[in-house]
Short mmCIF file of all heavy atoms in Angstrom, two decimals:
data_model
loop_
_atom_site.label_atom_id
_atom_site.label_comp_id
_atom_site.label_asym_id
_atom_site.label_seq_id
_atom_site.Cartn_x
_atom_site.Cartn_y
_atom_site.Cartn_z
N ASN A 300 -16.71 151.54 186.67
CA ASN A 300 -15.84 151.41 185.50
C ASN A 300 -14.38 151.61 185.90
O ASN A 300 -13.82 152.69 185.77
CB ASN A 300 -16.24 152.41 184.42
CG ASN A 300 -17.66 152.16 183.94
OD1 ASN A 300 -18.16 151.04 184.04
ND2 ASN A 300 -18.30 153.18 183.43
N LYS A 301 -13.80 150.54 186.38
CA LYS A 301 -12.42 150.58 186.88
C LYS A 301 -11.45 150.76 185.72
O LYS A 301 -11.66 150.26 184.62
CB LYS A 301 -12.11 149.29 187.63
CG LYS A 301 -10.71 149.24 188.23
CD LYS A 301 -10.57 148.10 189.21
CE LYS A 301 -10.61 146.75 188.53
NZ LYS A 301 -10.34 145.66 189.49
N GLU A 302 -10.35 151.47 186.00
CA GLU A 302 -9.28 151.60 185.01
C GLU A 302 -7.98 151.19 185.66
O GLU A 302 -7.63 151.63 186.75
CB GLU A 302 -9.19 153.03 184.48
CG GLU A 302 -8.16 153.18 183.37
CD GLU A 302 -8.32 154.48 182.61
OE1 GLU A 302 -9.19 155.29 182.96
OE2 GLU A 302 -7.55 154.67 181.64
N GLY A 303 -7.25 150.29 184.99
CA GLY A 303 -5.97 149.82 185.51
C GLY A 303 -4.85 150.13 184.54
O GLY A 303 -4.98 149.88 183.33
N TRP A 304 -3.77 150.70 185.07
CA TRP A 304 -2.57 150.96 184.26
C TRP A 304 -1.44 150.07 184.76
O TRP A 304 -1.22 149.91 185.98
CB TRP A 304 -2.12 152.40 184.39
CG TRP A 304 -3.01 153.43 183.78
CD1 TRP A 304 -3.09 153.80 182.47
CD2 TRP A 304 -3.94 154.27 184.48
NE1 TRP A 304 -4.01 154.80 182.31
CE2 TRP A 304 -4.54 155.11 183.53
CE3 TRP A 304 -4.31 154.39 185.82
CZ2 TRP A 304 -5.51 156.06 183.86
CZ3 TRP A 304 -5.26 155.32 186.16
CH2 TRP A 304 -5.85 156.15 185.19
N ASP A 305 -0.70 149.50 183.83
CA ASP A 305 0.47 148.72 184.17
C ASP A 305 1.66 149.20 183.35
O ASP A 305 1.54 149.41 182.13
CB ASP A 305 0.25 147.23 183.88
CG ASP A 305 -0.70 146.58 184.86
OD1 ASP A 305 -1.92 146.65 184.63
OD2 ASP A 305 -0.22 146.02 185.84
N ASN A 306 2.79 149.37 184.01
CA ASN A 306 4.06 149.63 183.33
C ASN A 306 5.00 148.49 183.69
O ASN A 306 5.27 148.24 184.87
CB ASN A 306 4.67 150.96 183.77
CG ASN A 306 6.03 151.18 183.13
OD1 ASN A 306 6.13 151.64 182.01
ND2 ASN A 306 7.10 150.82 183.84
N VAL A 307 5.50 147.79 182.68
CA VAL A 307 6.38 146.66 182.89
C VAL A 307 7.74 146.98 182.27
O VAL A 307 7.83 147.27 181.07
CB VAL A 307 5.81 145.37 182.27
CG1 VAL A 307 6.65 144.16 182.67
CG2 VAL A 307 4.36 145.17 182.66
N ASP A 308 8.79 146.94 183.08
CA ASP A 308 10.16 147.16 182.60
C ASP A 308 10.81 145.81 182.35
O ASP A 308 11.01 145.01 183.28
CB ASP A 308 10.96 147.97 183.62
CG ASP A 308 10.52 149.42 183.65
OD1 ASP A 308 10.81 150.13 182.68
OD2 ASP A 308 9.86 149.83 184.62
N LEU A 309 11.14 145.56 181.09
CA LEU A 309 11.62 144.26 180.64
C LEU A 309 13.10 144.31 180.25
O LEU A 309 13.65 145.38 179.98
CB LEU A 309 10.82 143.80 179.42
CG LEU A 309 9.31 143.79 179.51
CD1 LEU A 309 8.70 143.51 178.15
CD2 LEU A 309 8.86 142.74 180.51
N ARG A 310 13.70 143.14 180.20
CA ARG A 310 15.05 142.99 179.64
C ARG A 310 15.03 141.84 178.64
O ARG A 310 14.51 140.77 178.91
CB ARG A 310 16.06 142.67 180.74
CG ARG A 310 16.58 143.89 181.48
CD ARG A 310 17.58 143.54 182.54
NE ARG A 310 16.96 142.76 183.63
CZ ARG A 310 17.27 141.50 183.90
NH1 ARG A 310 18.15 140.85 183.15
NH2 ARG A 310 16.69 140.87 184.90
N GLY A 311 15.63 142.10 177.46
CA GLY A 311 15.70 141.09 176.43
C GLY A 311 17.12 140.64 176.17
O GLY A 311 18.01 140.75 177.04
N TRP A 312 17.37 140.13 175.00
CA TRP A 312 18.67 139.60 174.58
C TRP A 312 19.81 140.57 174.90
O TRP A 312 19.71 141.76 174.65
CB TRP A 312 18.59 139.34 173.07
CG TRP A 312 19.79 138.74 172.41
CD1 TRP A 312 20.62 139.36 171.52
CD2 TRP A 312 20.29 137.41 172.57
NE1 TRP A 312 21.61 138.51 171.11
CE2 TRP A 312 21.43 137.29 171.75
CE3 TRP A 312 19.89 136.32 173.34
CZ2 TRP A 312 22.17 136.11 171.67
CZ3 TRP A 312 20.62 135.15 173.25
CH2 TRP A 312 21.74 135.05 172.42
N LEU A 313 20.83 140.04 175.57
CA LEU A 313 22.00 140.81 175.98
C LEU A 313 21.68 141.88 177.02
O LEU A 313 22.48 142.79 177.25
CB LEU A 313 22.71 141.44 174.78
CG LEU A 313 23.12 140.46 173.65
CD1 LEU A 313 23.80 141.23 172.52
CD2 LEU A 313 24.03 139.37 174.19
N GLY A 314 20.51 141.76 177.63
CA GLY A 314 20.14 142.68 178.70
C GLY A 314 19.56 144.00 178.25
O GLY A 314 19.40 144.92 179.07
N TYR A 315 19.20 144.12 176.98
CA TYR A 315 18.69 145.39 176.48
C TYR A 315 17.29 145.66 177.03
O TYR A 315 16.42 144.78 177.01
CB TYR A 315 18.69 145.42 174.96
CG TYR A 315 20.03 145.82 174.39
CD1 TYR A 315 21.10 144.94 174.42
CD2 TYR A 315 20.24 147.11 173.88
CE1 TYR A 315 22.35 145.31 173.93
CE2 TYR A 315 21.47 147.49 173.40
CZ TYR A 315 22.52 146.58 173.43
OH TYR A 315 23.75 146.97 172.95
N PRO A 316 17.03 146.90 177.50
CA PRO A 316 15.75 147.22 178.15
C PRO A 316 14.62 147.44 177.15
O PRO A 316 14.83 147.93 176.03
CB PRO A 316 16.06 148.50 178.92
CG PRO A 316 17.15 149.15 178.13
CD PRO A 316 17.98 148.03 177.57
N MET A 317 13.42 147.06 177.58
CA MET A 317 12.19 147.29 176.82
C MET A 317 11.10 147.63 177.82
O MET A 317 11.28 147.47 179.03
CB MET A 317 11.80 146.04 176.02
CG MET A 317 12.82 145.61 174.99
SD MET A 317 12.34 144.08 174.12
CE MET A 317 12.69 142.86 175.38
N GLN A 318 9.98 148.09 177.30
CA GLN A 318 8.84 148.41 178.17
C GLN A 318 7.55 147.89 177.56
O GLN A 318 7.41 147.83 176.33
CB GLN A 318 8.71 149.92 178.41
CG GLN A 318 9.72 150.49 179.38
CD GLN A 318 9.36 151.92 179.77
OE1 GLN A 318 8.66 152.62 179.04
NE2 GLN A 318 9.82 152.34 180.93
N LEU A 319 6.62 147.52 178.44
CA LEU A 319 5.27 147.14 178.04
C LEU A 319 4.30 147.97 178.87
O LEU A 319 4.43 148.05 180.09
CB LEU A 319 5.04 145.65 178.30
CG LEU A 319 3.62 145.11 178.07
CD1 LEU A 319 3.24 145.20 176.60
CD2 LEU A 319 3.52 143.66 178.55
N LYS A 320 3.33 148.60 178.21
CA LYS A 320 2.36 149.43 178.92
C LYS A 320 0.95 148.93 178.58
O LYS A 320 0.63 148.70 177.42
CB LYS A 320 2.52 150.90 178.56
CG LYS A 320 3.88 151.47 178.98
CD LYS A 320 3.99 152.95 178.70
CE LYS A 320 5.40 153.45 179.00
NZ LYS A 320 5.74 153.35 180.42
N ILE A 321 0.14 148.77 179.62
CA ILE A 321 -1.21 148.23 179.46
C ILE A 321 -2.19 149.19 180.12
O ILE A 321 -1.98 149.63 181.24
CB ILE A 321 -1.33 146.85 180.13
CG1 ILE A 321 -0.27 145.89 179.57
CG2 ILE A 321 -2.73 146.28 179.94
CD1 ILE A 321 -0.09 144.65 180.42
N ASN A 322 -3.25 149.50 179.41
CA ASN A 322 -4.32 150.33 179.97
C ASN A 322 -5.63 149.56 179.78
O ASN A 322 -6.11 149.41 178.66
CB ASN A 322 -4.37 151.68 179.26
CG ASN A 322 -5.40 152.62 179.88
OD1 ASN A 322 -5.88 152.38 180.98
ND2 ASN A 322 -5.73 153.69 179.17
N PHE A 323 -6.19 149.06 180.89
CA PHE A 323 -7.39 148.22 180.83
C PHE A 323 -8.56 148.99 181.43
O PHE A 323 -8.61 149.20 182.65
CB PHE A 323 -7.13 146.92 181.60
CG PHE A 323 -8.22 145.88 181.45
CD1 PHE A 323 -9.07 145.87 180.36
CD2 PHE A 323 -8.37 144.89 182.40
CE1 PHE A 323 -10.05 144.91 180.21
CE2 PHE A 323 -9.35 143.91 182.27
CZ PHE A 323 -10.19 143.92 181.18
N LEU A 324 -9.47 149.44 180.58
CA LEU A 324 -10.69 150.11 181.04
C LEU A 324 -11.78 149.04 181.13
O LEU A 324 -12.29 148.59 180.11
CB LEU A 324 -11.11 151.22 180.08
CG LEU A 324 -10.21 152.46 180.06
CD1 LEU A 324 -9.00 152.26 179.16
CD2 LEU A 324 -11.00 153.67 179.58
N CYS A 325 -12.08 148.64 182.34
CA CYS A 325 -12.98 147.49 182.51
C CYS A 325 -14.12 147.84 183.46
O CYS A 325 -14.15 148.91 184.06
CB CYS A 325 -12.20 146.28 183.04
SG CYS A 325 -11.39 146.53 184.63
N ARG A 326 -15.04 146.92 183.56
CA ARG A 326 -16.18 147.06 184.45
C ARG A 326 -16.12 145.91 185.45
O ARG A 326 -16.31 144.74 185.07
CB ARG A 326 -17.49 147.04 183.66
CG ARG A 326 -17.63 148.19 182.68
CD ARG A 326 -18.84 148.01 181.78
NE ARG A 326 -18.94 149.09 180.79
CZ ARG A 326 -19.74 150.15 180.92
NH1 ARG A 326 -20.51 150.27 181.98
NH2 ARG A 326 -19.77 151.07 179.99
N ASP A 327 -15.83 146.24 186.68
CA ASP A 327 -15.53 145.23 187.68
C ASP A 327 -16.66 144.21 187.84
O ASP A 327 -16.44 143.00 187.82
CB ASP A 327 -15.24 145.91 189.02
CG ASP A 327 -14.05 145.29 189.73
OD1 ASP A 327 -13.20 144.71 189.06
OD2 ASP A 327 -13.99 145.41 190.97
N SER A 328 -17.87 144.69 188.01
CA SER A 328 -18.99 143.78 188.24
C SER A 328 -19.33 142.95 187.01
O SER A 328 -19.75 141.80 187.13
CB SER A 328 -20.23 144.57 188.68
OG SER A 328 -19.98 145.27 189.89
N ILE A 329 -19.12 143.52 185.82
CA ILE A 329 -19.39 142.80 184.58
C ILE A 329 -18.42 141.63 184.44
O ILE A 329 -18.77 140.57 183.91
CB ILE A 329 -19.30 143.75 183.37
CG1 ILE A 329 -20.40 144.82 183.45
CG2 ILE A 329 -19.35 142.99 182.07
CD1 ILE A 329 -21.81 144.26 183.42
N LEU A 330 -17.19 141.80 184.89
CA LEU A 330 -16.20 140.72 184.84
C LEU A 330 -16.44 139.69 185.94
O LEU A 330 -16.12 138.51 185.78
CB LEU A 330 -14.79 141.30 184.94
CG LEU A 330 -14.32 142.10 183.73
CD1 LEU A 330 -13.03 142.86 184.06
CD2 LEU A 330 -14.10 141.20 182.52
N ALA A 331 -16.99 140.13 187.08
CA ALA A 331 -17.19 139.22 188.20
C ALA A 331 -18.44 138.37 188.05
O ALA A 331 -18.47 137.22 188.50
CB ALA A 331 -17.27 140.01 189.51
N ALA A 332 -19.48 138.91 187.41
CA ALA A 332 -20.77 138.20 187.34
C ALA A 332 -20.67 136.80 186.73
O ALA A 332 -21.20 135.84 187.30
CB ALA A 332 -21.79 139.05 186.57
N PRO A 333 -19.99 136.62 185.57
CA PRO A 333 -19.91 135.25 185.04
C PRO A 333 -19.10 134.31 185.92
O PRO A 333 -19.34 133.10 185.92
CB PRO A 333 -19.25 135.45 183.67
CG PRO A 333 -18.57 136.76 183.73
CD PRO A 333 -19.40 137.61 184.65
N ILE A 334 -18.15 134.85 186.67
CA ILE A 334 -17.38 134.01 187.60
C ILE A 334 -18.31 133.45 188.68
O ILE A 334 -18.25 132.27 189.04
CB ILE A 334 -16.23 134.82 188.24
CG1 ILE A 334 -15.18 135.16 187.18
CG2 ILE A 334 -15.60 134.06 189.40
CD1 ILE A 334 -14.03 135.99 187.71
N VAL A 335 -19.19 134.31 189.22
CA VAL A 335 -20.12 133.86 190.25
C VAL A 335 -21.02 132.75 189.70
O VAL A 335 -21.21 131.71 190.35
CB VAL A 335 -20.97 135.04 190.76
CG1 VAL A 335 -22.05 134.55 191.72
CG2 VAL A 335 -20.09 136.08 191.45
N LEU A 336 -21.54 132.94 188.50
CA LEU A 336 -22.39 131.92 187.90
C LEU A 336 -21.63 130.61 187.72
O LEU A 336 -22.12 129.53 188.08
CB LEU A 336 -22.92 132.41 186.55
CG LEU A 336 -23.71 131.37 185.73
CD1 LEU A 336 -24.96 130.91 186.48
CD2 LEU A 336 -24.07 131.93 184.36
N ASP A 337 -20.43 130.68 187.16
CA ASP A 337 -19.65 129.46 186.92
C ASP A 337 -19.32 128.74 188.22
O ASP A 337 -19.37 127.51 188.29
CB ASP A 337 -18.36 129.80 186.18
CG ASP A 337 -18.61 130.17 184.71
OD1 ASP A 337 -19.73 129.94 184.22
OD2 ASP A 337 -17.68 130.69 184.06
N LEU A 338 -19.00 129.49 189.26
CA LEU A 338 -18.67 128.87 190.54
C LEU A 338 -19.88 128.18 191.15
O LEU A 338 -19.76 127.09 191.72
CB LEU A 338 -18.11 129.91 191.51
CG LEU A 338 -16.68 130.37 191.21
CD1 LEU A 338 -16.32 131.58 192.08
CD2 LEU A 338 -15.69 129.24 191.44
N VAL A 339 -21.04 128.80 191.04
CA VAL A 339 -22.26 128.16 191.54
C VAL A 339 -22.46 126.81 190.86
O VAL A 339 -22.68 125.78 191.51
CB VAL A 339 -23.48 129.08 191.31
CG1 VAL A 339 -24.78 128.31 191.51
CG2 VAL A 339 -23.44 130.27 192.26
N LEU A 340 -22.35 126.79 189.54
CA LEU A 340 -22.63 125.57 188.79
C LEU A 340 -21.54 124.51 189.00
O LEU A 340 -21.84 123.32 189.13
CB LEU A 340 -22.79 125.90 187.31
CG LEU A 340 -23.96 126.84 186.99
CD1 LEU A 340 -24.03 127.10 185.49
CD2 LEU A 340 -25.28 126.28 187.49
N PHE A 341 -20.29 124.93 189.03
CA PHE A 341 -19.20 123.96 189.21
C PHE A 341 -19.16 123.42 190.64
O PHE A 341 -18.87 122.24 190.86
CB PHE A 341 -17.86 124.58 188.84
CG PHE A 341 -17.58 124.62 187.35
CD1 PHE A 341 -16.97 125.73 186.78
CD2 PHE A 341 -17.92 123.56 186.54
CE1 PHE A 341 -16.70 125.77 185.41
CE2 PHE A 341 -17.66 123.58 185.16
CZ PHE A 341 -17.05 124.69 184.60
N LEU A 342 -19.42 124.27 191.64
CA LEU A 342 -19.44 123.77 193.02
C LEU A 342 -20.60 122.82 193.24
O LEU A 342 -20.47 121.82 193.97
CB LEU A 342 -19.52 124.95 194.00
CG LEU A 342 -18.21 125.67 194.27
CD1 LEU A 342 -18.45 126.93 195.11
CD2 LEU A 342 -17.19 124.77 194.98
N ASP A 343 -21.73 123.10 192.62
CA ASP A 343 -22.86 122.19 192.71
C ASP A 343 -22.51 120.85 192.05
O ASP A 343 -22.84 119.77 192.57
CB ASP A 343 -24.09 122.81 192.04
CG ASP A 343 -25.28 121.86 192.02
OD1 ASP A 343 -25.74 121.45 193.10
OD2 ASP A 343 -25.73 121.51 190.91
N LEU A 344 -21.83 120.91 190.91
CA LEU A 344 -21.38 119.68 190.25
C LEU A 344 -20.42 118.91 191.15
O LEU A 344 -20.53 117.68 191.28
CB LEU A 344 -20.69 120.03 188.92
CG LEU A 344 -20.04 118.87 188.17
CD1 LEU A 344 -21.09 117.92 187.63
CD2 LEU A 344 -19.15 119.40 187.03
N ALA A 345 -19.48 119.61 191.76
CA ALA A 345 -18.51 118.96 192.64
C ALA A 345 -19.20 118.26 193.80
O ALA A 345 -18.85 117.13 194.17
CB ALA A 345 -17.50 119.99 193.15
N ARG A 346 -20.19 118.92 194.38
CA ARG A 346 -20.92 118.33 195.51
C ARG A 346 -21.61 117.04 195.08
O ARG A 346 -21.57 116.03 195.78
CB ARG A 346 -21.96 119.34 196.01
CG ARG A 346 -22.77 118.88 197.23
CD ARG A 346 -21.94 119.00 198.49
NE ARG A 346 -22.74 119.00 199.69
CZ ARG A 346 -22.96 117.94 200.47
NH1 ARG A 346 -22.44 116.78 200.17
NH2 ARG A 346 -23.69 118.06 201.56
N ARG A 347 -22.26 117.06 193.92
CA ARG A 347 -22.96 115.88 193.42
C ARG A 347 -21.99 114.77 193.03
O ARG A 347 -22.34 113.59 193.08
CB ARG A 347 -23.85 116.25 192.24
CG ARG A 347 -25.09 117.02 192.65
CD ARG A 347 -25.98 117.33 191.46
NE ARG A 347 -25.47 118.41 190.65
CZ ARG A 347 -25.28 118.35 189.34
NH1 ARG A 347 -25.51 117.23 188.69
NH2 ARG A 347 -24.84 119.39 188.68
N ALA A 348 -20.76 115.15 192.66
CA ALA A 348 -19.76 114.16 192.27
C ALA A 348 -19.00 113.59 193.48
O ALA A 348 -18.11 112.76 193.31
CB ALA A 348 -18.76 114.78 191.29
N GLY A 349 -19.36 114.03 194.68
CA GLY A 349 -18.72 113.53 195.88
C GLY A 349 -17.37 114.14 196.18
O GLY A 349 -16.59 113.60 196.97
N MET A 350 -17.07 115.29 195.57
CA MET A 350 -15.80 115.98 195.82
C MET A 350 -15.97 116.88 197.04
O MET A 350 -16.98 117.54 197.21
CB MET A 350 -15.40 116.80 194.60
CG MET A 350 -15.31 115.98 193.32
SD MET A 350 -15.16 116.97 191.83
CE MET A 350 -13.43 117.45 191.91
N SER A 351 -14.95 116.90 197.91
CA SER A 351 -15.07 117.70 199.14
C SER A 351 -13.73 118.34 199.48
O SER A 351 -12.69 117.98 198.92
CB SER A 351 -15.54 116.82 200.30
OG SER A 351 -14.64 115.77 200.56
N GLY A 352 -13.79 119.29 200.41
CA GLY A 352 -12.57 120.00 200.78
C GLY A 352 -12.18 121.00 199.70
O GLY A 352 -13.00 121.46 198.90
N ILE A 353 -10.90 121.36 199.66
CA ILE A 353 -10.39 122.38 198.74
C ILE A 353 -10.50 121.90 197.29
O ILE A 353 -10.06 120.80 196.95
CB ILE A 353 -8.93 122.71 199.07
CG1 ILE A 353 -8.83 123.35 200.46
CG2 ILE A 353 -8.34 123.66 198.02
CD1 ILE A 353 -7.41 123.50 200.97
N GLN A 354 -11.09 122.74 196.46
CA GLN A 354 -11.25 122.44 195.03
C GLN A 354 -10.22 123.26 194.23
O GLN A 354 -10.53 124.30 193.67
CB GLN A 354 -12.67 122.75 194.58
CG GLN A 354 -13.76 122.04 195.37
CD GLN A 354 -13.66 120.52 195.23
OE1 GLN A 354 -13.78 119.99 194.13
NE2 GLN A 354 -13.45 119.84 196.35
N GLU A 355 -9.00 122.74 194.17
CA GLU A 355 -7.94 123.49 193.50
C GLU A 355 -8.20 123.64 192.00
O GLU A 355 -7.71 124.57 191.37
CB GLU A 355 -6.59 122.81 193.73
CG GLU A 355 -5.42 123.67 193.29
CD GLU A 355 -4.08 122.95 193.37
OE1 GLU A 355 -4.04 121.82 193.91
OE2 GLU A 355 -3.09 123.52 192.90
N TRP A 356 -9.00 122.75 191.43
CA TRP A 356 -9.28 122.83 190.00
C TRP A 356 -10.08 124.08 189.62
O TRP A 356 -10.15 124.44 188.45
CB TRP A 356 -10.01 121.57 189.53
CG TRP A 356 -11.37 121.34 190.13
CD1 TRP A 356 -11.65 120.89 191.39
CD2 TRP A 356 -12.64 121.52 189.49
NE1 TRP A 356 -13.01 120.79 191.57
CE2 TRP A 356 -13.64 121.15 190.43
CE3 TRP A 356 -13.03 121.92 188.21
CZ2 TRP A 356 -15.01 121.20 190.13
CZ3 TRP A 356 -14.39 121.97 187.92
CH2 TRP A 356 -15.36 121.61 188.87
N LEU A 357 -10.62 124.77 190.64
CA LEU A 357 -11.34 126.02 190.38
C LEU A 357 -10.45 127.25 190.58
O LEU A 357 -10.94 128.38 190.62
CB LEU A 357 -12.57 126.09 191.28
CG LEU A 357 -13.63 125.01 191.01
CD1 LEU A 357 -14.76 125.10 192.02
CD2 LEU A 357 -14.16 125.09 189.58
N SER A 358 -9.12 127.05 190.69
CA SER A 358 -8.18 128.17 190.82
C SER A 358 -8.29 129.17 189.69
O SER A 358 -7.94 130.35 189.84
CB SER A 358 -6.74 127.64 190.87
OG SER A 358 -6.52 126.82 191.99
N PHE A 359 -8.75 128.72 188.54
CA PHE A 359 -8.90 129.55 187.35
C PHE A 359 -9.64 130.86 187.64
O PHE A 359 -9.39 131.88 187.00
CB PHE A 359 -9.67 128.73 186.30
CG PHE A 359 -9.99 129.44 185.02
CD1 PHE A 359 -9.00 129.71 184.07
CD2 PHE A 359 -11.30 129.83 184.72
CE1 PHE A 359 -9.31 130.35 182.88
CE2 PHE A 359 -11.61 130.46 183.54
CZ PHE A 359 -10.61 130.72 182.61
N PHE A 360 -10.51 130.85 188.63
CA PHE A 360 -11.38 132.00 188.88
C PHE A 360 -10.84 132.95 189.96
O PHE A 360 -11.50 133.94 190.26
CB PHE A 360 -12.76 131.50 189.30
CG PHE A 360 -13.45 130.66 188.25
CD1 PHE A 360 -13.58 129.30 188.41
CD2 PHE A 360 -13.96 131.25 187.10
CE1 PHE A 360 -14.21 128.52 187.46
CE2 PHE A 360 -14.59 130.48 186.13
CZ PHE A 360 -14.71 129.12 186.31
#
Side-chain angles (χ1 to χ4, degrees):
N300 298 335
K301 181 167 68 174
E302 184 165 3
W304 291 280
D305 288 86
N306 176 84
V307 188
D308 287 289
L309 308 171
R310 277 181 293 114
W312 182 249
L313 305 180
Y315 275 74
M317 299 178 284
Q318 284 191 336
L319 174 66
K320 297 184 185 295
I321 305 165
N322 184 15
F323 189 23
L324 289 83
C325 60
R326 297 172 183 261
D327 223 25
S328 299
I329 295 298
L330 291 169
I334 292 178
V335 174
L336 174 62
D337 287 348
L338 286 170
V339 166
L340 298 180
F341 280 140
L342 280 172
D343 176 61
L344 174 69
R346 182 77 161 98
R347 287 182 283 127
M350 304 168 77
S351 61
I353 296 170
Q354 304 298 299
E355 191 186 353
W356 64 284
L357 296 176
S358 297
F359 177 73
F360 299 107

